[in-house]
Amino acid sequence: MSFPLLTLTAALPAVGAVVTAAVPAARRAAAKWIALLFSLATLALAATVFVRFDPDGARYQLTESHAWIADFGVRYELGVDGIGAALVALTALLVPFVILAGWHDADPLETQSKRWRPTQGFFALILMVEAMVVLSFEATDVFLFYILFEAMLIPMYFLIGGFGDRAHTGSDEHAAAQRSYAAVKFLLYNLVGGLVMLAAVIGLYVVTAGQLDAGGTFSLTQIVEARASGELTMATNTERLLFLGFFFAFAVKAPLWPLHTWLPNAMGESTAPVAVLITAVVDKVGTFAMLRFCLGLFPEASKWATPVIIALALVSIVYGALLAVGQRDIKRLIAYASISHFGFIILGIFAMTSQGQSGATLYMVNHGISTAALMLVAGFLISRRGSRLIADYGGVQKVAPVLAGTFLVGGLATLSLPGLAPFVSEFLVLVGTYTRYPVAGIVATTGIVLAALYTLVLYQRTMTGPVKDEVRAMPDLRVRELVVVAPLVALLLFLGVYPKPVTDVVNPAVRHTMSDVQQTDPRPEVEAAK
C-alpha cells in the first residue's frame, strides 16, 4: 500500500503530544482541546484501519516496510492482522474518554507557580502513550516492537509518579511518597522484563543469522515463513530459552501471577484515567504479544510450556478474585479484578483452541471497555467524596442515581453478566479451555462466582443503605461525565448481543495462529446412537 495509513495512525497522537506540550502555560484550556481533537482524529484513522481490514485477505494488511538499521537486519516494518486491527481500534477509542474524564485532574493547584505546566504535560504524556501502544500493535519487526515495548514505560512512569490521585487519606508528603513508590515499582518490574526480552531478541537474531541466506533478521513474517518451510530450525533447548525470555517480559506486562504486584500500586496511586490507560490499554500489549510473538516465533516451546502457563493463569484468576473480595480501596479492588481477568485472557490463549483464542482476543477488547466504564465512574465518585475507601460511602444511589446506575452497569459487565460484552468472551474462553483441558475449565469457573461476590458487595456497600452525611450533598453525573460514560455503556450492550463485527475480523487471525502452532480443535466425543 502506497499510503502509510498505519504510520499516520501512530504519528498523529505523537504530533499531538508535541503540540500540546508546546502550548503556553496560561492556555491550559487550549491544551485540553488540542489533545482531545488529536485523539478524535486518531480514532477516525483507527476506525479506517478496522473497516479497511479484509478478513478474507492476506494475514497482514496495510503493510509498510522500509530499511532502518540495514547492517543488523532491522527494518521499520508494519502490518496488522485482525487481532492488531481490533486492539488499535480499542486504544484509539478509549483515549478520548480518558482525556475527557481527566479534564481537570492535572489543573495546577493554587499553591503552584503560574509557570507550572502540569495540564499540558499530563495530556501530552497520554497522547505519547497512545502513539507508542498503537505502533506496537502494528509492528511486525521484533526489534521495532521491543523499542516500543520499553519506550512506553517512560511516559507511563511520569503519569503515575507525577500525576497521582489527589483523593489520598494521608498527608501530601505521604501521598507523594506512595506515588513515587508505585511509579518506581512499575518501572523496575517492566524494565527487568524488558532486559530479559532483549537477551532473547539478540539470541533470535543470532539464530537467524546462522541459517538464513539473507543473513540475520528481526522480521516476524520472514522468520515464521522460514520456520514453516524448514529453512530455519531451532534446537529444542534454544527455542525454549528464547520463548521464556519473551514470555517473561509479556507476563510482567500482562500481568500474570506472581509478576503482578506492581499493578495494584500503580492503579491505586494513579488518577482514574491513568489507571484506565494502564490496565485497558498498556497491559494489552503483553497479552497481544503472547499471541503474535510467543506462539508465532516459538510454536513448539509454546506447547511445551502450556501446562505451567495454564496453572499460573488459574492461580491469577482465583488469587486476583479472592484479593478483590477483601479490598477496602475501590481502585485496588478493580486492579485485583483485572489481574483475575487477565488470567482468563492468558488461559484462552494457551488453551490452544480456536474458541479459546477468539474469546481471549475478544476479552481484551471487552475488558478494556468494561474496565474503562467501571474505573472512570469510580473516579467520578472518588473525586466527589475525596476518598478511595469503600467504608466512606453509603446510600449514593439515593442522591446520585445516574452515577449509581452507570456504576452498576460497569460492575455487572465486570462480573460478565449475560447480555453485556464480557460474557461472550468469557464464555468462549471457558468453552475453548474445557474442550482440551476440562479440569482447568472447571477451576476457572470459580472466578465467575468470586467476581459476582466482589462486585455486588462493592455496590451494596457504596451505593445502598442509609445515606451517609458526607455523601448527602453529592451531585449526580455532569454533562461531560455523561459524555464519557454513555458511549461505553452503549458499547457494552451492543457487543453483548452482537459481537460479530469484532469476531469476524479476529477469527481469521486466530486460524493463522492455530496453524503456526499446528493445533486443531479437539473433536467432541459423542457416543454413536445404538
Side-chain angles (χ1 to χ4, degrees):
M1 182 179 177
S2 58
F3 183 73
L5 181 59
L6 297 185
T7 293
L8 188 59
T9 306
L12 192 60
V15 172
V18 175
V19 174
T20 301
V23 174
R27 304 294 299 275
R28 65 174 180 269
K32 297 175 183 179
W33 284 106
I34 289 170
L36 180 61
L37 289 174
F38 269 97
S39 70
L40 291 173
T42 303
L43 175 58
L45 289 177
T48 303
V49 171
F50 187 81
V51 171
R52 293 193 63 172
F53 185 85
D54 180 9
D56 298 322
R59 179 173 187 175
Y60 293 104
Q61 300 178 28
L62 307 174
T63 56
E64 303 173 34
S65 183
H66 307 281
W68 183 16
I69 310 174
D71 291 343
F72 295 98
V74 181
R75 300 185 64 81
Y76 176 80
E77 199 168 83
L78 306 181
V80 288
D81 59 1
I83 299 170
L87 292 177
V88 167
L90 172 69
T91 302
L93 172 70
L94 292 180
V95 169
F97 297 123
V98 166
I99 290 173
L100 275 174
W103 202 250
H104 298 298
D105 285 357
D107 287 349
L109 301 174
E110 294 180 0
T111 57
Q112 292 173 332
S113 168
K114 292 182 180 179
R115 295 183 178 180
W116 179 240
R117 296 155 52 89
T119 303
Q120 288 86 335
F122 180 73
F123 292 107
L125 289 169
I126 288 174
L127 289 175
M128 189 56 68
V129 171
E130 179 183 20
M132 292 179 180
V133 171
V134 166
L135 200 57
S136 70
F137 289 140
E138 299 171 347
T140 54
D141 183 275
V142 177
F143 189 81
L144 174 62
F145 174 83
Y146 169 76
I147 294 296
L148 297 164
F149 187 82
E150 291 290 85
M152 69 180 68
L153 301 179
I154 299 171
M156 284 307 310
Y157 169 80
F158 288 109
L159 283 170
I160 297 169
F163 301 92
D165 191 355
R166 292 175 178 175
H168 205 285
T169 55
S171 64
D172 291 343
E173 293 78 9
H174 178 67
Q178 291 294 100
R179 288 196 302 270
S180 177
Y181 173 78
V184 170
K185 189 173 184 179
F186 161 82
L187 188 64
L188 289 178
Y189 267 68
N190 284 275
L191 278 178
V192 170
L195 289 173
V196 174
M197 180 183 171
L198 177 60
V201 169
I202 295 171
L204 179 66
Y205 176 81
V206 171
V207 170
T208 60
Q211 297 187 51
L212 299 182
D213 294 336
T217 181
F218 293 102
S219 171
L220 172 68
T221 54
Q222 185 177 346
I223 294 172
V224 171
E225 290 172 0
R227 295 214 66 181
S229 65
E231 183 183 358
L232 175 66
T233 59
M234 294 186 193
T236 299
N237 289 337
T238 299
E239 180 176 348
R240 290 176 180 180
L241 286 173
L242 295 178
F243 167 85
L244 290 175
F246 277 77
F247 181 79
F248 180 81
F250 303 152
V252 172
K253 183 84 78 180
L256 178 68
W257 183 92
L259 305 171
H260 68 283
T261 59
W262 62 267
L263 183 65
N265 296 101
M267 289 183 66
E269 299 304 323
S270 300
T271 64
V274 173
V276 170
L277 206 61
I278 294 170
T279 190
V281 176
V282 173
D283 286 355
K284 297 299 187 302
V285 176
T287 48
F288 162 80
M290 291 179 188
L291 274 167
R292 173 169 282 188
F293 295 104
C294 285
L295 271 61
L297 295 172
F298 315 110
E300 294 304 320
S302 297
K303 290 185 283 188
W304 162 75
T306 287
V308 174
I309 295 173
I310 285 179
L312 294 176
L314 292 175
V315 173
S316 286
I317 292 170
V318 178
Y319 173 86
L322 284 173
L323 264 66
V325 171
Q327 290 303 305
R328 298 180 297 170
D329 183 309
I330 296 174
K331 290 166 71 176
R332 289 179 69 90
L333 185 151
I334 299 172
Y336 279 109
S338 291
I339 292 169
S340 181
H341 296 149
F342 275 103
F344 276 106
I345 294 171
I346 295 170
L347 180 66
I349 292 171
F350 284 90
M352 300 292 184
T353 61
S354 57
Q355 299 100 324
Q357 292 185 358
S358 294
T361 305
L362 189 60
Y363 212 137
M364 293 185 220
V365 175
N366 292 337
H367 172 264
I369 299 170
S370 62
T371 300
L374 181 60
M375 179 60 84
L376 293 179
V377 176
F380 298 149
L381 177 69
I382 291 168
S383 66
R384 285 158 165 74
R385 175 67 177 82
S387 173
R388 304 186 330 227
L389 298 179
I390 297 172
D392 288 340
Y393 296 88
V396 174
Q397 68 179 12
K398 296 177 182 177
V399 298
V402 178
L403 188 155
T406 52
F407 190 83
L408 179 60
V409 173
L412 293 177
T414 298
L415 64 83
S416 299
L417 183 76
L420 296 174
F423 169 77
V424 181
S425 43
E426 195 164 282
F427 178 77
L428 285 172
V429 167
L430 290 173
V431 169
T433 302
Y434 186 83
T435 57
R436 194 179 294 278
Y437 303 104
V439 174
I442 293 170
V443 173
T445 58
T446 59
I448 301 174
V449 179
L450 293 171
L453 179 60
Y454 62 69
T455 300
L456 297 179
V457 168
L458 171 64
Y459 183 84
Q460 179 188 40
R461 292 177 177 174
T462 55
M463 302 295 165
T464 66
V467 179
K468 291 198 172 185
D469 293 337
E470 294 82 0
V471 303
R472 196 172 296 279
M474 181 178 291
D476 213 335
L477 291 182
R478 302 178 178 90
V479 174
R480 173 180 59 85
E481 296 165 337
L482 284 171
V483 171
V484 171
V485 175
L488 295 174
V489 170
L491 277 171
L492 289 173
L493 292 169
F494 176 76
L495 293 177
V497 297
Y498 192 68
K500 190 173 185 293
V502 179
T503 55
D504 281 351
V505 171
V506 163
N507 285 341
V510 168
R511 287 194 290 271
H512 284 297
T513 304
M514 290 284 290
S515 176
D516 288 341
V517 292
Q518 299 179 345
Q519 291 279 31
T520 57
D521 291 328
R523 292 182 176 275
E525 297 179 1
V526 181
E527 292 185 4
K530 296 181 181 179

